[in-house]
């Protein structure tokens, strides 16, 4: 994909390549599949932002926070799109700083650098064990537990398809795009693999506080294994900092999904596979009707007003996963 996008840096490239180099029907299927995939992730991140904010206070109702987040997404993607790249740069930098700090936190605290002086090391890999049983007992149950975690986690992975979406609006794409693609491998290795390793070190999978956060829908980063670990080790202030940085990461992710979903729908419209009216752009080149449709789909996030946040998040995970499998085979 990197070579093809660098050769033809057009809007929604891999979607249009599917129809151009394989078959028109395949291009339609790939395009709409990716659009649903991206559009479903937006309300997921909106709900996540609401859950995180409620870590500090429940004064503002869920509906109010969701409305504010959606309005901000609309402003950034329609009226201030020229600042989109700049805002994403700084928000992405925050993600990098966060994961680096959490890796250092894991290394320092596991060696005893914490208020309790607890040198816990790989204790939780032995008791209760590194793999949780799911549905069945023994190794079969542990394997099924691994698969369940894979389903829950894999939908968040962003690969070269995300990078390619910016090709049509990037300056000097034949220079900057190869650099961006080369960074994907290192990002996935450092952030996802190393991050997953740290999560398994800092907290046990049967931790009461962690389980209660999901079963009872407790607000904020109480569902974060890092915050659970900090609470167990009697570390103060740091949980609030982590929570704030996680909030910026969730907001940034939702903002990116609005961008990608609208551009994928715009690419379909350019190819005549969606209504022609969706090709209308503002003077800044923003496909305004495509952005509006994505934001309308994002109103599904208001489902949280009448349901447990954990339940709503599970619904969106299931929806995204149903499009992730054919999407993976597509790429």
């Amino acid at each position: 994909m990197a070579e093809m996008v660098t050769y033809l840096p057009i809007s929604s490239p891999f979607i249009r390549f599917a129809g151009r180099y394989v078959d028109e029907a395949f291009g339609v299927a790939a395009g709409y599949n990716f659009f649903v995939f991206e559009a479903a992730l937006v309300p997921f991140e909106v709900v996540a932002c609401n859950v995180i904010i409620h870590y500090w206070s429940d004064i503002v109702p869920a509906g109010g926070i969701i409305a504010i987040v959606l309005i901000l997404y609309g402003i950034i993607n329609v009226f201030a799109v020229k600042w989109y790249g700049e805002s994403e740069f700084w928000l992405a930098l925050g993600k990098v700083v966060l994961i680096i700090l959490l890796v250092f936190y894991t290394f320092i605290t596991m060696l005893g650098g914490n208020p309790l002086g607890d040198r816990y090391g790989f204790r939780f890999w032995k008791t209760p064990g590194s793999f949780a049983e799911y549905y069945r007992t023994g190794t079969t149950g542990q394997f099924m537990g691994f698969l369940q975690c894979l389903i829950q986690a894999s939908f968040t992975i962003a690969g070269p398809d995300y990078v390619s979406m910016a090709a049509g609006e990037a300056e000097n794409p034949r220079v900057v795009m190869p650099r961006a693609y080369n960074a994907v491998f290192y990002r996935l290795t450092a952030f996802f693999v190393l991050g997953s390793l740290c999560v398994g070190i800092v907290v046990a999978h049967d931790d009461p506080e962690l389980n209660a956060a999901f079963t009872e829908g407790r607000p904020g980063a109480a569902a974060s294994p890092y915050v659970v670990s900090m609470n167990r080790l009697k570390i103060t202030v740091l949980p609030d900092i982590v929570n704030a940085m996680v909030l910026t990461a969730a907001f940034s992710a939702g903002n990116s999904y609005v961008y990608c979903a609208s551009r994928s729908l715009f690419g379909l419209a350019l190819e005549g596979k969606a209504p022609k009216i969706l090709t209308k752009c503002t003077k800044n080149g923003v496909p305004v009707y495509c952005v509006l449709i994505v934001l309308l789909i994002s109103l599904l996030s208001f489902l949280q007003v009448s349901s447990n946040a954990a339940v709503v998040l599970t619904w969106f995970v299931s929806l995204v996963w149903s499009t992730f499998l054919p999407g993976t085979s597509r790429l």
Side-chain angles (χ1 to χ4, degrees):
M1 182 184 295
E3 290 80 3
M4 296 174 69
V5 173
T6 303
Y7 172 62
L8 290 175
I10 58 178
S11 179
S12 306
F14 73 90
I15 295 175
R16 300 169 71 180
F17 289 162
R20 179 171 182 169
Y21 295 114
V22 182
D23 185 80
E24 288 297 323
F26 185 71
V28 173
Y32 278 102
N33 177 79
F34 186 77
F35 168 70
V36 173
F37 173 72
E38 294 295 308
L41 281 169
V42 178
F44 175 89
E45 297 296 344
V46 173
V47 172
C49 287
N50 177 59
V51 172
I52 295 170
I53 291 174
H54 279 162
Y55 173 78
W56 290 293
S57 175
D58 291 329
I59 295 177
V60 181
I65 293 176
I66 292 173
I68 292 173
V69 173
L70 291 178
I71 291 173
L72 290 176
Y73 284 162
I75 293 174
I76 293 174
N77 284 274
V78 176
F79 302 106
V81 70
K82 64 179 181 179
W83 300 109
Y84 172 82
E86 188 72 16
S87 63
E88 281 303 301
F89 170 80
W90 291 107
L91 289 172
L93 181 62
K95 298 177 188 177
V96 174
V97 173
L98 174 62
I99 190 63
I100 292 176
L101 290 178
L102 290 178
V103 169
F104 276 106
Y105 163 81
T106 302
F107 181 74
I108 293 172
T109 58
M110 69 184 293
L111 295 179
N114 55 75
L116 300 181
D118 183 12
R119 191 182 180 92
Y120 59 90
F122 293 90
R123 176 191 305 161
F124 301 124
W125 285 24
K126 299 178 181 179
T127 305
S130 54
F131 290 91
E133 297 177 344
Y134 191 69
Y135 279 128
R136 306 206 175 193
T137 59
T139 56
T140 302
Q142 291 176 343
F143 179 69
M144 295 179 70
F146 168 77
L147 292 180
Q148 178 66 13
C149 291
L150 180 65
I151 292 173
Q152 294 290 325
S154 60
F155 81 99
T156 62
I157 295 180
D161 48 340
Y162 284 77
V163 178
S164 69
M165 296 303 292
E169 301 176 51
E171 293 184 7
N172 200 5
R174 293 190 174 178
V175 174
V176 301
M177 295 307 293
R179 297 176 183 172
Y181 282 116
N182 290 334
V184 170
F185 171 78
Y186 301 104
R187 182 191 64 186
L188 294 179
T189 302
F191 290 176
F192 289 94
V193 177
L194 192 58
S196 299
L197 178 66
C198 292
V199 166
I201 293 174
V202 299
V203 68
H205 61 75
D206 62 350
D207 185 274
E209 183 180 357
L210 184 66
N211 290 333
F214 290 99
T215 57
E216 301 174 12
R218 290 185 181 178
S224 167
Y226 295 107
V227 174
V228 171
S229 169
M230 294 170 189
N231 291 338
R232 186 188 77 249
L233 297 173
K234 308 301 181 183
I235 298 176
T236 58
V237 180
L238 195 55
D240 294 308
I241 297 176
V242 171
N243 203 45
M245 298 185 73
V246 170
L247 175 61
T248 61
F251 182 86
S252 170
N255 193 36
S256 298
Y257 295 141
V258 172
Y259 179 89
C260 290
S262 60
R263 294 323 186 265
S264 62
L265 186 59
F266 179 62
L268 289 169
L270 291 176
E271 294 291 311
K273 298 164 186 173
K276 188 176 180 180
I277 192 175
L278 297 179
T279 59
K280 180 178 177 57
C281 297
T282 65
K283 62 180 181 180
N284 293 324
V286 179
V288 60
Y289 291 135
C290 295
V291 174
L292 180 60
I293 289 177
V294 174
L295 292 177
L296 288 175
I297 295 174
S298 302
L299 294 177
L300 289 171
S301 54
F302 282 101
L303 288 170
Q304 188 193 348
V305 175
S306 59
S307 298
N308 185 300
V311 174
V312 176
L313 289 174
T314 302
W315 292 343
F316 289 127
V317 169
S318 300
L319 177 60
V320 171
W321 180 252
S322 67
T323 60
F324 179 80
L325 285 177
T328 304
S329 60
R330 173 199 70 224
L331 295 175

